[in-house]
Amino acid sequence: MRQLLKRNSVYKRLNINQLISISCLLCRADTPMNKPVCNLCIQALPIADKHCLLCGIPVLANSSDLCARCVQKKPAFDICHSAFNYEFPVDHLLKKIKYHQQLIYLPPLAEQLSRTLLHHYDGKVWPQAILPVPLHNKRLRSRGFDQALVLARQLVKNLHPYQQMKLETHLIKRQKHTDPQQGLQASQRKRNIKNAFSLTGTPDYQYLAILDDVVTTGETVSEITRLLKQQGVKRVDIWCLARTPV
Ligand SMILES: [Zn+2]
Ligand SMILES: [Zn+2]
């Protein structure tokens, strides 16, 4: 096919991706081969625009900068940046990635997270490294891949032209096999995640970014933040593709 196209003079003026199209994974409209989701669908995704300035949960457009929970008690981490609200179709896409290994959906979502981060850290100090939330070996074996690590690699690649980010994958270990946090009551989540992680050494960082695909109550990322801060890390930002309202 490519050979044929190369011989065609039209090819010389057009990018091959414009000639070979595939169906958008969401609406089935034609989209260039390098874009699994069409531009219209990307623009319609629920971007996290109005959110609590600390924990990142979606808040109403006319409400204050902090959610009611953060006004009462600040989270363990310093700030949470989310690309999207956990709403349709983002929730649907994230489940396809996580439970059906359809990693093709990840790059368009990671692209928006990269944009969100570039916007926020413009002129500011970036974290020294990205620390993806680790999976327990048992879950890694059953799922076959670590979605936070795949996302982290994609982000490092996306951010590379602007900011070179180190990937930290050895500092934190998940020592307890826990039930998935989604579907548990708030008190159960806390108990479920307690002592789930351990440090493999003393952190050589002042400032880190913890990365996960979805942040729900924030118990998981708060637990890791507490561990890091107990060992001298001064600031911990949370990065995620989507933040749930609770
Ligand atoms: Zn589409
Ligand atoms: Zn908040």
Side-chain angles (χ1 to χ4, degrees):
M1 176 74 174
R2 279 171 191 262
Q3 286 305 317
L4 263 175
L5 288 166
K6 272 181 186 168
R7 269 183 245 129
N8 187 325
S9 61
V10 178
Y11 173 76
K12 288 172 186 155
R13 297 195 300 274
L14 290 172
N15 181 310
I16 193 164
N17 285 319
Q18 290 173 287
L19 293 170
I20 306 172
S21 64
I22 56 166
S23 296
C24 165
L25 293 164
L26 291 175
C27 72
R28 307 274 170 229
D30 281 354
T31 180
M33 200 168 67
N34 61 344
K35 289 206 179 276
V37 178
C38 76
N39 285 339
L40 277 177
C41 285
I42 289 278
Q43 283 162 20
L45 292 178
I47 287 175
D49 46 4
K50 180 66 183 165
H51 52 267
C52 168
L53 292 185
L54 283 181
C55 74
I57 65 164
V59 291
L60 295 173
N62 57 358
S63 61
S64 68
D65 289 341
L66 298 185
C67 72
R69 207 167 53 163
C70 287
V71 167
Q72 287 192 343
K73 190 174 181 251
K74 285 186 180 177
F77 50 82
D78 291 85
I79 197 166
C80 176
H81 297 295
S82 169
F84 300 101
N85 295 336
Y86 192 72
E87 293 167 10
F88 184 83
V90 170
D91 54 351
H92 178 71
L93 297 180
L94 287 168
K95 281 177 191 155
K96 289 233 177 215
I97 295 169
K98 207 160 169 170
Y99 304 116
H100 303 281
Q101 304 189 357
Q102 300 206 7
L103 296 178
I104 193 167
Y105 292 103
L106 198 127
L109 301 182
E111 208 174 295
Q112 179 55 40
L113 179 57
S114 310
R115 271 196 291 271
T116 302
L117 296 173
L118 285 168
H119 177 73
H120 173 79
Y121 291 100
D122 183 27
K124 296 191 181 82
V125 177
W126 285 75
Q128 291 163 280
I130 304 176
L131 193 156
V133 171
L135 273 188
H136 191 273
N137 279 342
K138 203 171 159 188
R139 180 142 306 129
L140 181 60
R141 278 196 298 274
S142 65
R143 192 171 290 164
F145 72 102
D146 178 341
Q147 77 281 356
L149 181 60
V150 175
L151 171 62
R153 288 196 177 122
Q154 182 70 45
L155 264 191
V156 169
K157 196 171 134 195
N158 291 357
L159 294 173
H160 184 78
Y162 316 96
Q163 178 70 24
Q164 292 184 26
M165 292 300 301
K166 184 180 170 189
L167 194 52
E168 173 54 67
T169 54
H170 298 294
L171 184 60
I172 292 276
K173 198 173 82 183
R174 196 186 276 257
Q175 58 186 3
K176 188 169 117 187
H177 180 61
T178 53
D179 294 325
Q181 289 286 84
Q182 263 167 316
L184 294 181
Q185 304 280 346
S187 59
Q188 292 173 310
R189 284 170 193 240
K190 224 173 199 151
R191 222 175 312 130
N192 188 38
I193 213 71
K194 188 101 188 113
N195 300 322
F197 301 95
S198 64
L199 284 166
T200 57
T202 311
D204 195 17
Y205 302 100
Q206 297 284 306
Y207 185 13
L208 284 170
I210 299 175
L211 176 73
D212 210 352
D213 55 344
V214 181
V215 171
T216 48
T217 58
E219 287 299 336
T220 305
V221 291
S222 295
E223 180 73 9
I224 299 175
T225 300
R226 279 190 285 270
L227 263 181
L228 293 169
K229 289 195 172 178
Q230 276 163 14
Q231 293 299 317
V233 178
K234 297 276 178 285
R235 188 184 161 99
V236 176
D237 293 358
I238 311 300
W239 298 354
C240 62
L241 287 178
R243 187 74 168 94
T244 63
V246 283

